[in-house]
Amino acid sequence: MEPDRTLGTVPLHDQIADDLRARIASGEYAPGQSLPSVRQLQERWGCADGTVREAIAILLGEGRITSSRGARARVRIPPTRSELAISISPEAAQTQKDLALQSEEERAATGAVELALGMPINQTRFTATYSRVQADQELATEFDVKVGTELLRRSYRTVNRDGGRLILSSVSHVPVSLVEQNPELLDEKNEPWPGGHWHQLHTVGIEIDRLDNSIIALQPTTRQRQDWGMDPGVPLLCLRSRSVDTLGRVVEVADSTYPADRTAIRYSHQLKRWE
């Protein structure tokens, strides 16, 4: 894809960034290769080092290059891109829903990691943290409840046991009033729960009828970059999944995050054929 060039009257640092961006796109500077030094770029463009550093900062912010103290900037090596870990296909959602009706042995044999990533549980380390919070305006609107309504906040993290890198991360909210009749659902020590939230809600008589999903991009925090091993300039994709029950109520809101540079979202629409 051809890189965009800055429009209008272009400051010198943008001209330098445009030139380097085009050279990267053409393959002149390949992934992993060092860019010219600040001094070399100064001499090429006849400018101060601050101007060159502004250009480098632009490319860092775009996620095109990486930099470390005392070393030249390098063209970033893009990570392997995989499909979105939580499938948005109807078939995948139905598989997870139907699992909730199976025996505990069958539910325990198939966890979220297997369904999402195809990775055996013994290669991962899972943690769950529960807390009670009050609904802010955003979540109150999602659940159609009053601001301040008590919610159960559940944070889930799965890391690769070998490298310790984060591979799944999500935060779920459920109104406490919907699940408190089963005290086991309020205790994080019961995680991982065989059958996941589908079966958890099933134990209190709730059947999920549909999932409403939306995806937005977020700028990650420094901690999130560390956890995911992300380079500067790379955003996070946030998938918000709303579980709607057979009564039309939103019974869970879950936010799952994924690095945008290694995630592909795939879906299709089957259209009716003309007669």
Side-chain angles (χ1 to χ4, degrees):
M1 184 170 60
E2 282 294 315
D4 291 332
R5 288 189 173 273
T6 310
L7 299 176
T9 303
V10 182
L12 187 54
H13 63 267
D14 280 321
Q15 295 179 43
I16 298 172
D18 284 350
D19 180 70
L20 292 172
R21 190 185 299 110
R23 293 173 187 266
I24 292 170
S26 71
E28 180 178 342
Y29 300 140
Q33 182 179 344
S34 296
L35 296 182
S37 67
V38 171
R39 176 166 293 184
Q40 288 172 323
L41 290 171
Q42 276 185 265
E43 294 174 352
R44 179 187 297 176
W45 289 89
C47 63
D49 66 343
T51 303
V52 172
R53 295 185 192 282
E54 285 185 79
I56 295 296
I58 290 172
L59 299 181
L60 279 170
E62 294 175 356
R64 298 179 187 272
I65 62 175
T66 60
S67 181
S68 58
R69 186 180 296 276
R72 291 189 190 183
R74 292 180 177 272
V75 179
R76 185 167 170 271
I77 300 174
T80 302
R81 192 178 293 271
S82 61
E83 290 190 18
L84 185 62
I86 295 181
S87 174
I88 58 176
S89 72
E91 295 79 13
Q94 190 65 52
T95 297
Q96 294 183 64
K97 177 177 178 177
D98 292 344
L99 186 63
L101 299 180
Q102 305 306 312
S103 68
E104 182 173 354
E105 182 180 3
E106 291 175 290
R107 286 184 279 111
T110 307
V113 175
E114 288 94 339
L115 291 173
L117 299 177
M119 179 180 293
I121 287 179
N122 59 14
Q123 294 181 14
T124 67
R125 186 169 65 253
F126 169 85
T127 58
T129 305
Y130 284 17
S131 61
R132 297 196 186 201
V133 299
Q134 293 185 335
D136 59 13
Q137 184 61 64
E138 179 186 4
L139 288 171
T141 300
E142 290 280 15
F143 287 110
D144 192 22
V145 297
K146 294 181 179 179
V147 172
T149 297
E150 189 175 34
L151 304 176
L152 181 66
R153 185 181 192 271
R154 306 181 296 182
S155 299
Y156 300 112
R157 290 168 58 87
T158 303
V159 301
N160 190 308
R161 191 175 290 276
D162 291 334
R165 284 292 185 208
L166 192 61
I167 53 178
L168 283 177
S169 175
S170 66
V171 175
S172 159
H173 289 90
V174 181
V176 170
S177 61
L178 291 181
V179 294
E180 61 186 353
Q181 59 185 288
N182 182 356
E184 291 186 352
L185 300 184
L186 305 175
D187 190 347
E188 64 190 41
K189 294 178 182 178
N190 293 317
E191 294 282 3
W193 187 284
H197 77 287
W198 303 83
H199 186 267
Q200 288 176 325
L201 294 174
H202 176 61
T203 67
V204 291
I206 295 174
E207 178 186 353
I208 298 175
D209 188 54
R210 73 175 191 275
L211 299 177
D212 291 337
N213 297 321
S214 59
I215 299 173
I216 62 172
L218 300 171
Q219 282 301 323
T221 64
T222 302
R223 172 63 187 274
Q224 286 173 321
R225 290 197 185 281
Q226 291 174 336
D227 287 346
W228 285 105
M230 297 170 64
D231 292 320
V234 178
L236 278 173
L237 295 179
C238 178
L239 168 65
R240 170 160 289 189
S241 181
R242 304 165 183 84
S243 297
V244 183
D245 74 354
T246 53
L247 299 178
R249 301 174 300 178
V250 174
V251 294
E252 184 192 39
V253 174
D255 292 318
S256 302
T257 51
Y258 306 88
D261 63 340
R262 64 193 78 165
T263 304
I265 303 169
R266 303 186 188 278
Y267 62 95
S268 61
H269 296 290
Q270 181 64 52
L271 305 178
K272 292 183 179 179
R273 298 184 181 183
W274 292 331
E275 299 297 333

